[in-house]
Amino acid sequence: MKFRSTASYIATTDLAHAVNAAVTLQRPLLVKGEPGTGKTELARQVALALQLPIIEWHVKSTTKAQQGLYEYDAVSRLRDSQLGDARVNDVANYIRKGKLWQAFEAPGRVVLLIDEVDKADIEFPNDLLQELDRMEFHVYETGETVRAQHRPVVIITSNNEKELPDAFLRRCFFHYIRFPDIDTLRAIVEVHFPGIKEALLTTALTQFYELREMPGLKKKPSTSEVLDWLKLLLAEDLGPEDLKREGKAVLPKLHGALLKTEQDLHLFERLAFMARRQG
């Protein structure tokens, strides 16, 4: 079964090809792109399209690679031994299975999402090289080797906040999700807001792209943010005439859904001041 756009997710041809290529090669798919371009949702939609369960591992700055395999709770075992609990005789009772272990022992093929891998320490991806390559790892406390019964579809996302090691990149199929052009974004909006009026959509997207292309903007609004903005416009029952601005330097209505930094707000204030002086 091949992946393509779903009822709730618009995938470009290049993105669909990347997913299917990674599945065919049995390599992790590394997906990069701006925050809010649908990287995490891609994994969920791949699972939906391929009719597979999904296991999600959301990486944090404190996450260690070992946690994805398993964790040994020595403290609980020591406490139970002091209490005379018979469970201490079996070390397996104190092994907590991680997301990779869950994916490896699943009775059927699953989609494994490793989300925002670049949040963790630089050694994090290096520490997973062998496990993702060989699809197995050793549990030292019990002496067993855990091997994947069915090779999972691994999707790894990154916000491009830091460089990933070359050895890790070599083992992945890579795809960068570019910000959608206006036609693709129209299709995405239609999925989320079917029947939206053409005049409103045209006016809103024109202002949105003007804002994104503003020189000096620190954080450009993303796909998820334009969807939030359109949701607000529809909730307030605003029409294209309500969105009229006097020049590009004027902030759009309900701009808090689009601009998320003081620096960007100050940029528009300076541009508006300059426009008034020139006027």
Side-chain angles (χ1 to χ4, degrees):
M1 185 180 294
K2 297 288 187 180
F3 172 73
R4 55 180 63 89
S5 295
T6 67
S8 57
Y9 189 90
I10 300 296
T12 63
T13 302
D14 287 346
L15 178 56
H17 285 334
V19 172
N20 293 322
V23 172
T24 300
L25 293 173
Q26 296 187 334
R27 287 191 177 276
L29 173 63
L30 174 61
V31 184
K32 289 188 177 184
E34 295 178 30
T37 49
K39 301 184 298 296
T40 303
E41 186 60 23
L42 170 66
R44 296 166 182 157
Q45 294 299 321
V46 168
L48 182 65
L50 301 183
Q51 299 178 8
L52 299 175
I54 185 170
I55 295 175
E56 300 186 15
W57 185 14
H58 299 283
V59 177
K60 301 178 181 179
S61 60
T62 56
T63 302
K64 302 298 181 184
Q66 180 65 31
Q67 294 171 308
L69 308 179
Y70 69 93
E71 291 183 278
Y72 170 52
D73 191 354
V75 174
S76 292
R77 192 181 189 198
L78 175 62
R79 183 190 63 237
D80 289 348
S81 67
Q82 293 171 339
L83 296 174
D85 195 323
R87 295 175 71 247
V88 299
N89 296 320
D90 186 358
V91 68
N93 290 325
Y94 302 92
I95 299 291
R96 290 201 293 265
K97 298 176 181 179
K99 299 296 185 180
L100 265 73
W101 191 331
Q102 295 172 30
F104 286 4
E105 73 172 5
R109 200 176 196 189
V110 301
V111 173
L112 172 63
L113 167 64
I114 304 177
D115 197 30
E116 297 189 324
V117 68
D118 53 332
K119 274 188 175 180
D121 185 84
I122 188 63
E123 292 304 319
F124 177 87
N126 275 334
D127 292 343
L128 290 177
L129 288 179
Q130 296 301 320
E131 289 76 11
L132 291 176
D133 204 21
R134 298 181 181 179
M135 286 290 157
E136 66 177 39
F137 62 89
H138 186 70
V139 183
Y140 295 98
E141 289 77 8
T142 62
E144 66 179 309
T145 297
V146 178
R147 294 185 178 88
Q149 299 182 39
H150 305 275
R151 194 177 187 97
V153 177
V154 181
I155 297 178
I156 304 170
T157 72
S158 168
N159 287 328
N160 224 11
E161 293 180 1
K162 66 179 68 163
E163 291 295 323
L164 298 174
D166 289 345
F168 180 78
L169 295 174
R170 183 175 63 80
R171 288 166 167 81
C172 299
F173 189 93
F174 172 75
H175 183 77
Y176 184 85
I177 298 183
R178 301 184 185 280
F179 193 82
D181 58 31
I182 193 164
D183 291 333
T184 304
L185 191 53
R186 279 178 175 274
I188 292 171
V189 171
E190 281 290 344
V191 166
H192 290 270
F193 307 109
I196 186 171
K197 293 180 180 178
E198 177 63 27
L200 174 62
L201 180 58
T202 299
T203 303
L205 292 187
T206 299
Q207 290 189 14
F208 172 73
Y209 277 98
E210 286 176 353
L211 190 151
R212 260 190 69 88
E213 293 164 7
M214 183 71 68
L217 209 59
K218 182 178 180 181
K219 186 200 176 298
K220 296 182 177 182
S222 66
T223 308
S224 63
E225 286 158 341
V226 72
L227 293 175
D228 286 344
W229 185 49
L230 287 169
K231 185 176 182 179
L232 287 174
L233 297 181
L234 292 171
E236 295 293 330
D237 196 24
L238 298 179
E241 64 282 351
D242 299 312
L243 301 183
K244 287 182 179 179
R245 299 184 299 165
E246 295 180 2
K248 297 180 181 180
V250 179
L251 285 166
K253 291 282 179 64
L254 302 168
H255 58 267
L258 300 174
L259 298 175
K260 302 297 177 71
T261 70
E262 293 178 27
Q263 178 179 317
D264 290 340
L265 287 174
H266 291 159
L267 171 64
F268 271 84
E269 289 172 357
R270 290 195 301 271
L271 291 172
F273 175 73
M274 292 170 61
R276 285 195 298 270
R277 288 189 62 182
Q278 292 174 359

